[in-house]
Amino acid sequence: MAPGMTSIAQYAREKLAQLQALDLRRTLQVSERAEPPWVIRDGRRLLSFSCNDYLGLSQHPRVRAAAIAAIERYGVGAGASRLVTGNHPLYGELESRLARLKGTEAACVFGSGYLANTGIIPALVGADDLIVVDEYAHSCLNAGARLARARTITYRHNDVAHARAILAEHRRTHRHALVATDGVFSMDGDLAPLGELAEIARRHDAWLLADDAHGLGVLGNGRGSAFAAAAPADIPLHMGTLSKALGSYGAYLCADQAVIDLMKNRARTLIYSTALPPAMLAAAIAAIDLIAQDPAYAALPLSRARAFTALADLPPAASCVVPVVVGTAADALSAARLLEDEGFLVVPIRPPTVPANTARLRLAFSALHPEGEIARLAEIIKQRVTRR
Ligand SMILES: *Cc1c(COP(=O)(O)O)cnc(C)c1O
């Protein structure tokens, strides 16, 4: 190498050392999932509060059987993108179930939530357009906004008046406008005011995109956060994932038929990426059926979360996700270690996933968490984490 040049490995080592010094270096840990919500790490069985498998459906006998049957019949990989030869018959069945669940004309399944948002947004808006996005929106909504090259303005978290002011000032000078938010915020667990956002979006001729990754299957009788309030929010673009409460993999957009047809023509992450393995589609269909058959079971994770927040003297849970903000990254790491010593797996969440000095424990509640263990966790958090 010529003098003065930096090798890639040298560059990487320096970057990693900087992260290490800030307690922000991340490493992958092998986690074997036992029967939910237990996981095995380093040979130890830990009760996990860090899985988004809210209903334990990733391990449910009927969901597993559906996936196995699909593999037996169709094999493993899809072999090509949906527009080539990957458009398996199970897609149509899954998409009609999703559209029915959300009350839309049609639905389109994508390879993952990240692929969905990075495909949907650039397919709808471009350089002459405006995107108004919540400051805490998921990383992939922001990635989609960047790929769209639209003017993107962030509004303060859940601040409808701020979003309205941005639309009032900037809507007129742009061709189209998109308002984008999570339905349930993935790191805070609070809900977006979807009804009000839908109202201001409509008034300013903007389209509302709600990402319901953490609402589908567990809020609004399993239909998601748009159906959690007394009157369902009128949302033209319902996005969500198959990988959390449904226990499978993939994501969807539910919308008008024309919008869905446009996705198949314009969403690059759908057109140029291999279709999902048929087993994932079969598993998602089985999961949707289970949720529809037993809405009381679908409501359990939220009631577990509420039991926890009451016992831990925290504000009442709005979803299955409960944040316990502890401060610095080092604080979050040491709180997580303390809980691990007690047999709980709670992965600490650090910047840049959350703002500086709001590093936290993020607890995800499942229908299957034993109530006694929830009480023990609440007591430990109350006595030894939030009280320090
Ligand atoms: C998990 C998540 C995604 C990404 O979905 P994947 O299928 O895991 O890629 C998107 N949006 C939100 C709000 C999420 O929580």
Side-chain angles (χ1 to χ4, degrees), residues 63-223:
V63 177
R64 293 168 80 118
I68 291 166
I71 288 180
E72 298 286 1
R73 187 155 171 208
Y74 305 113
V76 179
S81 93
R82 293 190 64 184
L83 283 157
V84 182
T85 54
N87 197 39
H88 199 276
L90 293 169
Y91 269 108
E93 202 179 325
L94 175 56
E95 287 171 343
S96 63
R97 272 180 173 71
L98 288 164
R100 210 178 316 137
L101 193 70
K102 296 288 181 181
T104 59
E105 285 177 11
C108 178
V109 167
F110 288 79
S112 73
Y114 217 102
L115 287 171
N117 282 332
T118 51
I120 295 164
I121 298 174
L124 293 174
V125 289
D128 299 329
D129 302 326
L130 174 69
I131 298 175
V132 182
V133 61
D134 188 287
E135 65 176 322
Y136 290 176
H138 193 270
S139 161
C140 59
L141 285 168
N142 289 301
R146 283 194 177 204
L147 286 172
R149 298 198 194 91
R151 168 103 187 259
T152 300
I153 306 178
T154 300
Y155 63 91
R156 286 185 296 273
H157 178 52
N158 275 349
D159 187 338
V160 178
H162 191 206
R164 188 197 296 119
I166 293 167
L167 285 167
E169 186 176 348
H170 298 282
R171 173 67 188 93
R172 239 164 297 138
T173 51
H174 295 84
R175 189 183 50 166
H176 301 304
L178 181 79
V179 176
T181 182
D182 293 16
V184 176
F185 286 86
S186 55
M187 296 299 139
D188 293 79
D190 53 346
L191 307 190
L194 290 175
E196 290 171 76
L197 288 171
E199 177 64 30
I200 64 155
R202 201 166 36 248
R203 246 194 241 147
H204 289 274
D205 185 24
W207 307 319
L208 178 62
L209 169 64
D211 174 342
D212 208 27
H214 296 279
L216 180 74
V218 286
L219 298 182
N221 273 326
R223 297 181 72 194

